[in-house]
Amino acid sequence: MKHQPDFAKLAQSSGEWLRGTGPESDIVVSSRIRLARNLADFPFIRRCSDEDRVSIERTVRARMETLDGWDDIRYVDIEDISEIDRQFLVERQLISREIADAEGSRGVALDPAERYSVMVNEEDHLRIQVMNSGLDLHAAWKQIDALDDKLEGEILYAYHSRYGYLTACPTNVGTGLRVSVMLHLPALVITGQIEKVFRSMQRINVTVRGLYGEGSQYTGDFYQVSNQVTLGHSEESLLSLVGDEVVPRIIEYERKARSFLIDQGEQDLNDEVSRALGILSTAKKISSEETMHYLSKVRMGVNLGLIENVQVGTINKLFIHTQPAHLQKLHGRLLSSSDRNIQRASYLQGHLNGKLGDGELN
Amino acid sequence: MKHQPDFAKLAQSSGEWLRGTGPESDIVVSSRIRLARNLADFPFIRRCSDEDRVSIERTVRARMETLDGWDDIRYVDIEDISEIDRQFLVERQLISREIADAEGSRGVALDPAERYSVMVNEEDHLRIQVMNSGLDLHAAWKQIDALDDKLEGEILYAYHSRYGYLTACPTNVGTGLRVSVMLHLPALVITGQIEKVFRSMQRINVTVRGLYGEGSQYTGDFYQVSNQVTLGHSEESLLSLVGDEVVPRIIEYERKARSFLIDQGEQDLNDEVSRALGILSTAKKISSEETMHYLSKVRMGVNLGLIENVQVGTINKLFIHTQPAHLQKLHGRLLSSSDRNIQRASYLQGHLNGKLGDGELN
């Protein structure tokens, strides 16, 4: 197992899940599954001593090093890296804000494609995550189930014959499963229907969060839809609830809202989308929030065929790579907020200029 | 003397005064002088019968046809042309809104470079105008004085040995001279100093109006500065008041305001100017007001060197050619307001795309 990735190099690449491909990728950015697991021989994290945490991390790392097909995996010692590198991993959706902000021995194992991530000493001893581009929960389930089986061959999990996997928080007990689908819903936002859609979901135990998890703002019109509890539900029923019932329904609403916007005034939509690309291509300084706002419109424009020479994958990447830590890693040093706004504008222009189409020169 | 110009063809060209050259052309768009003259043998316009007006027009046209070096002049019978063509000539600053909206026999003689215009049967029998690019009042004065002398050789003007030229409105009696300089003052607007500057001018008998004369909105940050009265002042003193005292002082204020904006935050200004170009280059529909607003910023950006590959002459032309009648003449038919907004955007893109600079393709 390799150690500490080169963050500066990583900042120039992007994960598989940002490709902008896979089923329903005009609306579904990514499908993510995570499993919460705990070692039977240690207390839950909040009751752990510092020594316990060190032992847990050491044990898990040692076990992971012998796993089949796990050679390319890099292990990041989160305690050891800088604040900016932690922020970088959060922006990249590879670790949670909680583990970044925690203290003590903790880390994450990552594969080069950034499909897998195994956090050690988060809320649970292990948080195993698989993330795919588009709506692809069943593939994600196969992948995470296989990895979980491998790990379970090496590690004795805390498991109760009646309740299932034991977890720090009761809502995760049972399967320890959380199914999350990241949706891009600009038309439901514009038409003012988004709140209604989400209210209807609360009744069926589905939660909605922003791009960066609980409490994060709904920026860029991105919404993560996931199951609220696992206790009393099988993996299959949770996957089916989110992947076969809830998400397809939201996709249908969003498609209808997009059609409505086009019918109401394609020229208006075209104007809004085109100006958004214009501003992103010409601003000399731009905040993260404004960037997300305009990128969201451009993403919808690309998916509706109103913008032709920009790839969805490029836009997906720009959402992540224009975040503060990414910009600073790309630039090679810490930057003030106002310097970031300048660098962000420059980065956007590097990727978007020349995309505005050739007009006649006059 | 040729008759009725081809307006559709005219809509594709532009007058000499829009070149964006001449002294102080970063701030001064044009210098205009007009002389009010009346024929001794007829009553003032408001006392004229319809027959009088016809006679005046016939007399003046006959006299102008024999003038030296006047062969290229086209005479437009304003009564005879469509409402849209009248509007077109107003937008082009070749006739006044008043003569466009009047009734009865009236017209205007124009040269192909659109430097000269002689309105017949406006408020006075003759309104002779010369318009040059940049701050060039003395050249304009020589040109209009020569034309006036030629006309006076053919036409008997109403002249009083004590009061001078007699005019319909007492404020024009004497020289009949109005000196108008069109200034572009975006920095004084942004810094909130414009009202103060104008209040100081009212005390010295100088008036300020918008792009399209009395009562017109101050759009595009354009302001016409002119003398308020002529009675009791010589031509030289009026030219000197506007051209040597007032305008140079306003130019100095505007330059100071531009320096202040750059010192305060060149990146802010650069951002505002660049985004303005971005919006004009990408909007799919845009109102005349919004167009003027952003063109004003781009014009300042070009003059401050923040935008490099756009000519001031191009921007000057776009201010005029994106006006409603111009768009309709260019398009060859009447357009609704919303269709004009679409055509305007398309016209702007035809002239501005490819001006945003090449970014790396990624």
Side-chain angles (χ1 to χ4, degrees):
Chain A
M1 189 158 61
K2 294 172 181 174
H3 297 274
Q4 292 309 63
D6 177 346
F7 287 99
K9 204 174 156 194
L10 212 58
Q12 287 169 37
S13 70
S14 47
E16 275 293 293
W17 66 277
L18 280 171
R19 272 177 309 154
T21 56
E24 320 284 3
S25 60
D26 56 334
I27 293 173
V28 179
V29 179
S30 63
S31 300
R32 173 155 53 163
I33 299 181
R34 73 108 166 98
L35 295 171
R37 297 288 184 259
N38 288 278
L39 277 57
D41 300 336
F42 293 88
F44 287 137
I45 286 291
R46 66 174 172 278
R47 299 210 169 170
C48 278
S49 66
D50 289 352
E51 291 70 28
D52 287 335
R53 292 186 191 218
V54 171
S55 298
I56 293 166
E57 200 189 0
R58 198 174 296 150
T59 305
V60 171
R61 281 186 71 166
R63 298 291 184 274
M64 287 200 293
E65 282 187 356
T66 63
L67 285 190
D68 267 1
W70 209 222
D71 308 326
D72 276 351
I73 296 299
R74 291 161 301 186
Y75 189 84
V76 181
D77 181 341
I78 296 176
E79 193 180 10
D80 199 41
I81 61 177
S82 65
E83 174 54 37
I84 196 86
D85 286 342
R86 285 180 203 133
Q87 173 64 22
F88 175 85
L89 292 173
V90 172
E91 290 174 1
R92 215 151 170 105
Q93 313 259 317
L94 295 173
I95 67 172
S96 62
R97 163 64 39 215
E98 290 68 28
I99 199 170
D101 293 346
E103 297 202 334
S105 184
R106 64 204 192 282
V108 63
L110 306 169
D111 74 311
E114 300 177 28
R115 189 187 300 279
Y116 297 92
S117 114
V118 182
M119 284 185 279
V120 182
N121 292 344
E122 210 251 19
E123 185 183 285
D124 295 291
H125 299 160
L126 288 181
R127 285 279 177 108
I128 309 166
Q129 169 182 290
V130 167
M131 191 154 50
N132 282 338
S133 187
L135 183 58
D136 202 7
L137 284 173
H138 292 281
W141 170 246
K142 278 189 190 169
Q143 291 157 348
I144 203 165
D145 191 36
L147 175 56
D148 185 44
D149 285 350
K150 275 191 204 172
L151 287 166
E152 199 159 12
E154 304 287 330
I155 298 165
L156 183 62
Y157 284 159
Y159 184 83
H160 185 282
S161 58
R162 182 158 168 212
Y163 301 124
Y165 293 102
L166 301 178
T167 56
C169 175
T171 57
N172 291 319
V173 169
T175 60
L177 184 86
R178 179 158 215 163
V179 179
S180 294
V181 175
M182 178 91 74
L183 296 151
H184 184 230
L185 306 174
L188 286 175
V189 173
I190 294 173
T191 57
Q193 298 171 278
I194 195 86
E195 291 301 329
K196 204 179 92 190
V197 170
F198 292 156
R199 272 199 307 275
S200 74
M201 288 197 296
Q202 278 164 357
R203 292 195 291 268
I204 51 169
N205 289 324
V206 169
T207 58
V208 182
R209 301 173 301 161
L211 182 56
Y212 288 107
E214 282 168 74
S216 76
Q217 286 292 319
Y218 300 139
T219 42
D221 306 321
F222 287 109
Y223 296 88
Q224 279 191 68
V225 169
S226 23
N227 59 304
Q228 214 156 23
V229 293
T230 77
L231 190 59
H233 300 277
S234 68
E235 287 90 348
E236 290 71 22
S237 72
L238 291 171
L239 285 171
S240 177
L241 170 70
V242 175
D244 301 331
E245 287 177 49
V246 174
V247 168
R249 212 189 313 158
I250 301 176
I251 290 173
E252 194 192 331
Y253 291 147
E254 171 67 17
R255 282 205 214 292
K256 276 188 187 159
R258 290 183 185 186
S259 297
F260 173 82
L261 289 176
I262 287 180
D263 292 347
Q264 282 286 298
E266 183 164 358
Q267 198 67 28
D268 290 7
L269 197 64
N270 202 4
D271 181 51
E272 200 172 345
V273 157
S274 183
R275 286 181 185 218
L277 182 58
I279 289 169
L280 291 171
S281 306
T282 52
K284 296 296 182 187
K285 54 172 208 169
I286 189 163
S287 71
S288 178
E289 196 176 11
E290 211 185 352
T291 301
M292 301 274 275
H293 174 75
Y294 290 123
L295 278 176
S296 174
K297 293 190 189 302
V298 171
R299 192 181 193 281
M300 177 168 64
V302 170
N303 283 321
L304 290 175
L306 300 174
I307 293 174
E308 286 183 349
N309 46 358
V310 182
Q311 302 300 313
V312 176
T314 302
I315 302 299
N316 285 352
K317 179 181 159 184
L318 289 175
F319 273 109
I320 303 299
H321 287 223
T322 55
Q323 300 287 333
H326 269 76
L327 281 176
Q328 292 173 88
K329 295 311 290 185
L330 282 166
H331 201 66
R333 63 181 180 83
L334 295 181
L335 298 168
S336 68
S337 168
S338 70
D339 282 346
R340 286 203 299 274
N341 289 349
I342 293 168
Q343 288 302 323
R344 185 176 291 114
S346 160
Y347 185 79
L348 285 165
Q349 270 170 59
H351 285 70
L352 293 175
N353 273 6
K355 305 291 190 185
L356 293 174
D358 291 332
E360 57 178 284
L361 297 174
N362 202 316
Chain B
M1 189 158 61
K2 294 171 184 175
H3 296 275
Q4 293 307 66
D6 177 348
F7 286 99
K9 204 173 157 194
L10 211 60
Q12 288 169 36
S13 70
S14 48
E16 275 292 294
W17 66 276
L18 280 171
R19 271 177 312 154
T21 57
E24 319 285 4
S25 60
D26 56 334
I27 294 173
V28 179
V29 179
S30 63
S31 301
R32 172 156 52 164
I33 300 181
R34 72 108 168 98
L35 295 172
R37 297 287 185 259
N38 289 277
L39 277 58
D41 300 335
F42 292 89
F44 287 138
I45 286 290
R46 69 175 170 277
R47 299 210 171 172
C48 277
S49 64
D50 290 351
E51 291 69 31
D52 287 336
R53 291 185 193 219
V54 171
S55 297
I56 292 166
E57 200 189 1
R58 196 173 296 150
T59 304
V60 171
R61 282 185 70 167
R63 298 290 182 276
M64 287 199 293
E65 282 186 356
T66 63
L67 286 189
D68 266 1
W70 209 223
D71 308 325
D72 276 351
I73 297 300
R74 291 162 300 187
Y75 189 84
V76 181
D77 181 340
I78 297 178
E79 193 181 9
D80 197 42
I81 62 178
S82 66
E83 175 54 38
I84 197 84
D85 286 342
R86 285 179 204 135
Q87 174 64 22
F88 174 85
L89 292 173
V90 172
E91 289 174 2
R92 215 149 170 107
Q93 314 258 314
L94 294 173
I95 66 171
S96 63
R97 164 63 37 213
E98 289 69 28
I99 198 171
D101 293 347
E103 299 201 334
S105 184
R106 63 204 194 279
V108 62
L110 306 169
D111 74 311
E114 301 178 28
R115 189 186 301 280
Y116 298 93
S117 113
V118 182
M119 284 185 278
V120 182
N121 292 345
E122 211 251 18
E123 184 182 286
D124 294 291
H125 298 160
L126 288 181
R127 284 280 177 107
I128 309 167
Q129 169 183 291
V130 167
M131 191 155 52
N132 282 338
S133 187
L135 183 57
D136 202 10
L137 284 172
H138 292 283
W141 170 245
K142 277 189 190 167
Q143 290 158 348
I144 203 166
D145 192 35
L147 174 56
D148 184 46
D149 285 350
K150 274 191 207 172
L151 287 166
E152 200 160 11
E154 304 287 329
I155 297 167
L156 183 63
Y157 284 158
Y159 184 84
H160 185 281
S161 57
R162 183 161 168 207
Y163 301 124
Y165 292 101
L166 301 178
T167 57
C169 175
T171 58
N172 291 317
V173 169
T175 60
L177 184 86
R178 179 157 215 164
V179 179
S180 294
V181 176
M182 177 92 73
L183 296 151
H184 184 230
L185 306 174
L188 286 174
V189 173
I190 293 172
T191 58
Q193 299 171 279
I194 195 88
E195 291 300 328
K196 204 178 92 191
V197 169
F198 292 156
R199 273 198 306 275
S200 74
M201 287 197 295
Q202 278 165 356
R203 290 195 292 269
I204 51 170
N205 288 326
V206 168
T207 58
V208 181
R209 300 173 301 160
L211 182 56
Y212 289 108
E214 281 167 74
S216 76
Q217 286 293 317
Y218 299 140
T219 42
D221 305 322
F222 287 109
Y223 296 87
Q224 279 191 68
V225 169
S226 25
N227 58 302
Q228 217 157 20
V229 291
T230 76
L231 190 60
H233 301 277
S234 69
E235 286 90 348
E236 289 71 24
S237 72
L238 291 171
L239 284 170
S240 177
L241 169 71
V242 175
D244 301 332
E245 287 177 48
V246 174
V247 168
R249 212 189 311 158
I250 301 177
I251 290 173
E252 195 192 331
Y253 291 147
E254 171 68 17
R255 283 204 213 292
K256 277 188 186 159
R258 291 183 185 187
S259 298
F260 173 82
L261 288 176
I262 287 179
D263 292 347
Q264 281 286 299
E266 183 164 358
Q267 198 67 28
D268 290 5
L269 198 63
N270 203 1
D271 181 51
E272 199 174 344
V273 157
S274 184
R275 286 183 185 218
L277 182 57
I279 289 169
L280 291 172
S281 306
T282 52
K284 297 294 183 188
K285 53 171 207 167
I286 189 163
S287 70
S288 178
E289 197 174 10
E290 212 184 351
T291 301
M292 301 275 276
H293 175 76
Y294 290 122
L295 278 176
S296 175
K297 294 189 188 305
V298 171
R299 192 181 194 280
M300 178 169 63
V302 169
N303 283 321
L304 290 174
L306 300 173
I307 293 174
E308 286 182 348
N309 46 359
V310 182
Q311 303 299 312
V312 176
T314 302
I315 302 300
N316 285 354
K317 179 182 159 183
L318 289 176
F319 273 109
I320 303 298
H321 287 222
T322 56
Q323 300 287 332
H326 271 75
L327 281 176
Q328 293 175 85
K329 294 313 288 184
L330 282 165
H331 201 65
R333 62 183 180 84
L334 294 181
L335 298 167
S336 67
S337 170
S338 69
D339 282 345
R340 286 203 300 272
N341 289 349
I342 293 168
Q343 288 303 323
R344 184 177 291 112
S346 159
Y347 186 80
L348 286 164
Q349 272 170 56
H351 285 72
L352 292 174
N353 273 7
K355 304 293 190 184
L356 294 172
D358 291 331
E360 59 178 283
L361 296 175
N362 203 317

